[in-house]
Amino acid sequence: QVQLVESGGGLVQAGGSLRLSCATSGSTFSVNHMAWHRQAPGKQRELVARMANSGSINYADSVKGRFTISRDNAKSTVYLQMNNLKPEDTAVYYCKAEVPRGGGMWYNYWGQGTQVTVSS
């Protein structure tokens, strides 16, 4: 079992910055990849940024150049630095841990989410 707790969300004006944190606990040794997703009202949950165990990183096109995902293994915490925020970044942001289950199967653990609201 892996537990994830997000923090750092809030209300910010357009052009501002926020840093989200995702603290992991439990069987963290089993986690391979970490990611941030977001879900805006009436929309599907979408991938924002993903960091593989190898260090490879992927970003959604909409956040490239503005968001940065990072990982502090000593603190078992993943961060999402969000700069130059736009109203369209308003969403609930979720942290995800991907754990291999063998046979090519994966299991995803999710945090409870943290609200980010960007005012224009």
Side-chain angles (χ1 to χ4, degrees), residues 22-95:
C22 173
T24 67
S25 61
S27 302
T28 57
F29 61 89
S30 63
V31 175
N32 269 26
H33 314 310
M34 295 294 299
W36 286 95
H37 290 245
R38 67 185 180 188
Q39 187 166 18
K43 294 188 177 182
Q44 288 190 332
R45 191 172 296 190
E46 63 175 358
L47 175 68
V48 175
R50 182 176 181 269
M51 175 181 279
N53 216 24
S54 64
S56 174
I57 294 175
N58 299 99
Y59 293 101
D61 288 342
S62 59
V63 307
K64 281 181 182 177
R66 300 188 298 122
F67 290 12
T68 303
I69 187 172
S70 61
R71 187 170 183 173
D72 186 333
N73 289 327
K75 296 182 178 180
S76 298
T77 300
V78 177
Y79 303 97
L80 185 67
Q81 178 66 44
M82 306 185 294
N83 298 327
N84 190 22
L85 283 160
K86 304 176 180 181
E88 51 264 42
D89 294 319
T90 295
V92 177
Y93 284 71
Y94 296 91
C95 180

